Amino acid sequence: MTTTVQAIRIDAYGGPEALKRVELPVGEPGPGEIRIRHHACGLNFIDVYQRTGLYQNPLPLTLGMEAAGIVEAVGEGVAHLKAGDRAAYASNPPGAYSEARVMPAKCVVKLPDGIAFETAAGMMLKGLTAQYLLKKTLPQGGLQSGDFVLFHAAAGGVGLIACQWARALGLQLIGTAGSDEKCRLALEHGAAHAINYRTEDFAARVKEITGGKGVKVVYDSIGKDTFERSLDCLRPFGLMASFGNASGPVPPFAIASLGPRGSLYVTRTTLFTHIATRESTQAMADELFAVVQSGAVKIRIDQRYPLADAAQAHRDLEARKTTGSSVLMP
Ligand SMILES: NC(=O)c1ccc[n+]([C@@H]2O[C@H](COP(=O)([O-])OP(=O)(O)OC[C@H]3O[C@@H](n4cnc5c(N)ncnc54)[C@H](OP(=O)(O)O)[C@@H]3O)[C@@H](O)[C@H]2O)c1
């Protein structure tokens, strides 16, 4: 059986205007696949990188890597899901900006009844990222209660989840954000300190807050504009975790400069290494569901758009107008 669904696709890399509404055929799932009908789709900064071509995929490309909905059919060999299940995912390949799709089952998990589709679409990619950053991307000796970490874009989608999760772990998260209002939001969600990095020298403020010592980890998704100064925020043997490029890719840097700065470590991480198997995806999702169901982490959906308005959602995200998570409603 093949049906037709509405989807948002790019035929060529470009600005938000490259996002086109199209009708696509959706067929039956093959071995290891499911067909899922989306009730809500997530918006992520990676969608922008894929739209502009900073991250390349074969074209034409239906964007979107995060969604929640109901499983309609399962292919041969899929044991953990069945038709009728509520489910959610963060995954490659893209394709979530659609009413329904066929996709690999290994990335998809059953959604607990207490978590709404919209909440799930706002938290799978961002929450699993916060999980692997705070729990698995650690300095030598790990992170202990009371430790300082620096987290850029703390009022964003990943950022507000990280603020709350860090507080639950007893960490002192210093958040940066692009306005005083966003700084307030980060503080309300568990950041111990917040720095407006448009008006303040964040490295100087980090030194002040930590009594000159610096932080054990910097989680940097801004890239070009913050990478170099972020290194100045680390204490000896500290870890620079670069995980995004909202301001542009990190330019080449002198690895030798890590020595005099205190024998620093640098990593460039991606969620997709962490969710490469069904077992690791399920284990990470179980942790995310537990912190959300306990109330320790609340998922803020601050922007909602019809799927057909995906271009406006991209404009707002790139213009730094959004806070928390955004969802696209098919
Ligand atoms: N590697 C991974 O595994 C992984 C997974 C998920 C997300 N990420 C990355 O994590 C970051 C956050 O993702 P998200 O989807 O939750 O987005 P988001 O944080 O909600 O939005 C991006 C934020 O970056 C800040 N920013 C600073 N300079 C910017 C610029 N020149 N242009 C646009 N934004 C700028 C803005 O906050 P301020 O106004 O407060 O500065 C903006 O709101 C992104 O860089 C994303 O690529 C990486």
Side-chain angles (χ1 to χ4, degrees):
M1 185 198 78
T2 299
T3 54
T4 302
V5 298
Q6 298 281 329
I8 301 290
R9 192 172 83 174
I10 57 166
D11 295 321
Y13 300 123
E17 70 287 347
L19 297 164
K20 307 278 187 232
R21 288 172 69 177
V22 292
E23 292 208 333
L24 294 178
V26 176
E28 291 299 317
E33 293 182 332
I34 61 153
R35 188 174 71 234
I36 182 167
R37 184 148 302 262
H38 295 142
H39 285 233
C41 313
L43 175 74
N44 290 285
F45 219 91
I46 192 170
D47 307 344
V48 172
Y49 308 143
Q50 291 178 345
R51 191 204 70 217
T52 60
L54 179 65
Y55 296 176
Q56 304 232 330
N57 284 282
L59 296 174
L61 174 70
T62 303
L63 292 178
M65 311 198 79
E66 180 180 44
I70 294 193
V71 177
E72 285 188 334
V74 304
E76 200 188 307
V78 177
H80 69 290
L81 293 167
K82 60 181 187 319
D85 280 347
R86 300 173 79 251
Y89 66 86
S91 91
N92 258 326
Y97 287 13
S98 60
E99 292 174 318
R101 70 183 291 197
V102 167
M103 64 181 298
K106 77 176 171 83
C107 330
V108 185
V109 295
K110 265 175 97 159
L111 183 63
D113 285 341
I115 301 178
F117 289 126
E118 209 181 81
T119 306
M123 76 178 203
M124 290 302 293
L125 196 146
K126 301 164 194 75
L128 295 179
T129 299
Q131 194 276 349
Y132 90 72
L133 289 174
L134 294 173
K135 304 286 292 283
K136 294 160 79 177
T137 309
L138 302 174
Q140 273 197 331
L143 285 173
Q144 282 78 41
S145 185
D147 281 345
F148 282 107
V149 299
L150 176 64
F151 207 104
H152 289 305
V158 178
L160 283 185
I161 298 174
C163 286
Q164 299 173 79
W165 208 325
R167 174 175 58 189
L169 293 170
L171 301 174
Q172 301 205 62
L173 181 148
I174 305 172
T176 60
S179 71
D180 292 345
E181 202 178 315
K182 287 185 178 184
C183 284
R184 264 195 302 280
L185 203 58
L187 290 169
E188 281 165 21
H189 286 79
H193 302 268
I195 304 169
N196 180 342
Y197 53 7
R198 291 222 214 194
T199 57
E200 296 179 270
D201 175 347
F202 71 82
R205 286 276 288 120
V206 165
K207 281 285 155 68
E208 208 176 280
I209 291 165
T210 58
K213 290 199 174 116
V215 296
K216 279 194 172 174
V217 190
V218 178
Y219 296 104
D220 188 336
S221 64
I222 307 301
K224 177 172 75 62
D225 288 354
T226 49
F227 183 84
E228 200 67 37
R229 285 297 274 159
S230 292
L231 295 175
D232 296 332
C233 297
L234 286 162
R235 69 179 217 174
F237 306 110
L239 173 65
M240 170 69 181
S242 171
F243 71 105
N245 6 249
S247 68
V250 175
F253 73 102
I255 195 164
S257 75
L258 300 179
R261 277 173 151 136
S263 303
L264 303 180
Y265 293 79
V266 175
T267 181
R268 176 59 164 91
T269 60
T270 168
L271 173 64
F272 302 109
T273 321
H274 290 274
I275 59 170
T277 67
R278 194 187 111 55
E279 291 70 27
S280 61
T281 305
Q282 189 66 59
M284 289 170 66
D286 287 345
E287 277 201 32
L288 174 62
F289 295 152
V291 289
V292 169
Q293 289 188 299
S294 75
V297 173
K298 294 192 172 58
I299 307 300
R300 278 180 70 110
I301 311 289
D302 285 344
Q303 296 77 215
R304 290 175 180 79
Y305 307 85
L307 178 60
D309 290 348
Q312 188 56 45
H314 276 226
R315 283 188 197 98
D316 291 348
L317 186 61
E318 287 179 278
R320 304 167 77 165
K321 286 184 181 163
T322 64
T323 53
S325 297
S326 308
V327 291
L328 305 172
M329 305 305 286

